[in-house]
Amino acid sequence: AQKITQTQPGMFVQEKEAVTLDCTYDTSDQSYGLFWYKQPSSGEMIFLIYQGSYDEQNATEGRYSLNFQKARKSANLVISASQLGDSAMYFCAMTLPQAGTALIFGKGTTLSVSS
Amino acid sequence: GAVVSQHPSWVICKSGTSVKIECRSLDFQATTMFWYRQFPKQSLMLMATSNEGSKATYEQGVEKDKFLINHASLTLSTLTVTSAHPEDSSFYICSARGSSGRVRGEQYFGPGTRLTVT
């Protein structure tokens, strides 16, 4: 079974600073996908970034980058140049490539960005 | 990207009544849809996996007779909360996965349904 662990219930950062949100995972499968989602107070799930287990390079999407350390089973999200609009809940998630496999989520981290 | 809709977006019902929530994939076929429940400031917990034309697979601890799931077509899955009670009040989110089997970019979420049972 897959498991996602996010150990930071809340993080605080000032505008324009970078912040790292931690995520570790556990699986015995060799092929898997790791995701980060942002959930603002409206409740919608916003896809941020994806990392495949066989991807050799860390994924980047604009201000988001994923620090993938396979041996440590960690997939930390780095947000550079934080903005007030980044304040939200962030979830790390994992799934397997087999059809019909759901995303399994971590407990989430609430990020608060201040001016 | 692909779009998943949910209806209603919010609903208030009285204790003891049943509520149906619809999840539709608008521009792609979803052989599999997933239903999640989320309590305030908590994570999304997978309730069940819904496969078109077959019975849903429920996660441990989820009452299948209380949360009825029907996936009658490749674009529609419904979740019916039967005999709702205040403890069923929650945010229900569906997601759909395309049928290509690729992991990347094939997970689409609906906007969620906020259920309040009085």
Side-chain angles (χ1 to χ4, degrees), chain B residues 97-117:
Chain B
R97 186 165 181 174
S99 55
S100 75
R102 291 185 297 115
V103 176
R104 170 68 173 97
E106 292 252 331
Q107 308 271 357
Y108 306 107
F109 282 88
T113 296
R114 205 165 295 278
L115 170 64
T116 301
V117 185

Side-chain angles (χ1 to χ4, degrees), chain B residues 24-44:
Chain B
R24 293 182 185 271
S25 56
L26 298 185
D27 50 4
F28 69 102
Q29 293 184 335
T31 53
T32 303
M33 289 184 174
F34 307 98
W35 287 95
Y36 295 85
R37 180 165 61 178
Q38 185 182 29
F39 293 109
K41 299 190 186 301
Q42 294 188 24
S43 185
L44 282 73

Side-chain angles (χ1 to χ4, degrees), chain B residues 8-13 18-21 90 113-117:
Chain B
S9 55
W10 62 272
V11 57
I12 301 173
C13 71
S18 296
V19 174
K20 180 186 283 189
I21 303 169
S90 187
T113 296
R114 205 165 295 278
L115 170 64
T116 301
V117 185

Side-chain angles (χ1 to χ4, degrees), chain B residues 3-116:
Chain B
V3 178
V4 175
S5 70
Q6 270 184 254
H7 178 80
S9 55
W10 62 272
V11 57
I12 301 173
C13 71
K14 290 188 176 180
S15 188
T17 61
S18 296
V19 174
K20 180 186 283 189
I21 303 169
E22 293 185 348
C23 176
R24 293 182 185 271
S25 56
L26 298 185
D27 50 4
F28 69 102
Q29 293 184 335
T31 53
T32 303
M33 289 184 174
F34 307 98
W35 287 95
Y36 295 85
R37 180 165 61 178
Q38 185 182 29
F39 293 109
K41 299 190 186 301
Q42 294 188 24
S43 185
L44 282 73
M45 299 302 298
L46 180 67
M47 298 175 66
T49 300
S50 168
N51 294 297
E52 186 266 337
S54 64
K55 289 184 179 180
T57 303
Y58 290 84
E59 295 299 301
Q60 192 173 9
V62 177
E63 300 174 57
K64 61 181 180 181
D65 294 331
K66 180 166 185 63
F67 299 99
L68 300 179
I69 292 172
N70 184 279
H71 195 155
S73 76
L74 286 172
T75 60
L76 174 64
S77 176
T78 61
L79 167 68
T80 301
V81 183
T82 62
S83 186
H85 288 101
E87 57 264 32
D88 298 324
S89 298
S90 187
F91 192 55
Y92 293 87
I93 306 177
C94 72
S95 73
R97 186 165 181 174
S99 55
S100 75
R102 291 185 297 115
V103 176
R104 170 68 173 97
E106 292 252 331
Q107 308 271 357
Y108 306 107
F109 282 88
T113 296
R114 205 165 295 278
L115 170 64
T116 301

